[in-house]
Amino acid sequence: DGGITQSPKYLFRKEGQNVTLSCEQNLNHDAMYWYRQDPGQGLRLIYYSQIVNDFQKGDIAEGYSVSREKKESFPLTVTSAQKNPTAFYLCASSFRGTSHEQFFGPGTRLTVL
Amino acid sequence: AQKVTQAQTEISVVEKEDVTLDCVYETRDTTYYLFWYKQPPSGELVFLIRRNSFDEQNEISGRYSWNFQKSTSSFNFTITASQVVDSAVYFCALTILYYNAGNMLTFGGGTRLMVKP
């Protein structure tokens, strides 16, 4: 089945450690996105990528980094510079172009202890 | 800058009641797209509908209907005869036609709908 996978579902890390969240899609989408969701709030864009080897910062990129070496994969690294990393992280993908809806993965809940 | 406001943070209804979720948006652009997504307890967002700024026709899909009014910058979502399975957080989102900038969505804060049996 086509879709987006994110792993793991739950992730615990100690403060000061970098952590990488996985996102893979087999929908043949060119564009991929990372969002952060805090309790009771909407989604905020962290980074997005329209094509391989290219990505742009979203609204809250500080403390995060990404790579896009393959069309299917868009991993997100939460670095120790992110001051409040505990959140729910959602990955999405879409065809390029404004009119296309984004398809979302199941999310990763990151808790920094 | 774009902005989406969902003033209702939580709504509670009894099964079979009709319920309307409000969405008000702000943008200076004349070409834009509006979306509704559903987020069930599992966490994954599910796409419900897309509407472009030039199409003000209302849409009905089963028990779901959407009312788009440019005059009031609103894109409201109505569920008729609500069911317990409709319990979720619903998000309204906006994107503008921005050449080569990708499909960057601006989300509202979401409305949590609780349907009680």
Side-chain angles (χ1 to χ4, degrees):
Chain A
D1 282 12
I4 302 175
T5 56
Q6 290 185 245
S7 61
K9 180 73 173 175
Y10 298 95
L11 189 56
F12 297 88
R13 279 294 182 270
K14 292 182 179 179
E15 196 171 340
Q17 289 182 334
N18 291 357
V19 59
T20 298
L21 281 59
S22 167
C23 178
E24 304 276 333
Q25 56 96 3
N26 61 2
L27 299 167
N28 199 32
H29 287 161
D30 292 300
M32 297 186 74
Y33 316 81
W34 273 105
Y35 292 92
R36 170 182 172 138
Q37 184 178 21
D38 293 286
Q41 297 188 31
L43 282 68
R44 292 182 290 169
L45 182 65
I46 305 172
Y47 268 98
Y48 68 100
S49 168
Q50 294 188 82
I51 55 174
V52 174
N53 293 321
D54 186 54
F55 48 82
Q56 286 78 42
K57 293 181 179 180
D59 299 321
I60 55 166
E62 186 175 349
Y64 300 97
S65 65
V66 294
S67 63
R68 187 84 186 277
E69 298 176 1
K70 298 187 300 181
K71 185 176 183 179
E72 301 78 17
S73 178
F74 191 40
L76 172 74
T77 296
V78 184
T79 74
S80 57
Q82 169 50 233
K83 295 179 181 178
N84 186 18
T86 295
F88 187 52
Y89 292 88
L90 284 155
C91 178
S93 69
S94 73
F95 291 112
R96 290 186 67 183
T98 306
S99 66
H100 296 291
E101 67 270 26
Q102 295 180 17
F103 292 82
F104 285 79
T108 292
R109 190 167 299 279
L110 172 65
T111 302
V112 175
L113 306 172
Chain B
Q2 287 66 241
K3 185 178 180 182
V4 177
T5 301
Q6 295 180 254
Q8 305 150 309
T9 53
E10 279 193 14
I11 300 176
S12 181
V13 299
V14 177
E15 206 170 19
K16 297 185 182 177
E17 286 185 9
D18 298 347
V19 58
T20 295
L21 283 59
D22 297 333
C23 172
V24 174
Y25 61 91
E26 297 175 30
T27 179
R28 293 182 180 178
D29 288 74
T30 57
T31 304
Y32 50 88
Y33 289 83
L34 293 161
F35 300 81
W36 275 96
Y37 285 88
K38 174 182 180 180
Q39 186 179 39
S42 60
E44 182 175 339
L45 267 72
V46 177
F47 166 75
L48 296 178
I49 190 172
R50 171 187 57 238
R51 174 66 70 219
N52 75 57
S53 53
F54 298 108
D55 182 3
E56 287 194 72
Q57 279 193 329
N58 292 333
E59 181 153 342
I60 299 175
S61 176
R63 295 184 297 107
Y64 295 172
S65 62
W66 291 268
N67 180 262
F68 176 33
Q69 293 195 339
K70 288 179 73 172
S71 60
T72 56
S73 297
S74 65
F75 187 41
N76 296 338
F77 173 33
T78 297
I79 301 175
T80 303
S82 60
Q83 300 176 1
V84 173
V85 293
D86 296 326
S87 297
V89 181
Y90 291 86
F91 290 99
C92 181
L94 165 75
T95 187
I96 61 173
L97 186 64
Y98 187 13
Y99 178 73
N100 216 30
N103 181 1
M104 291 184 289
L105 290 171
T106 298
F107 282 86
T111 296
R112 180 177 300 278
L113 174 64
M114 292 173 286
V115 181
K116 300 177 181 178

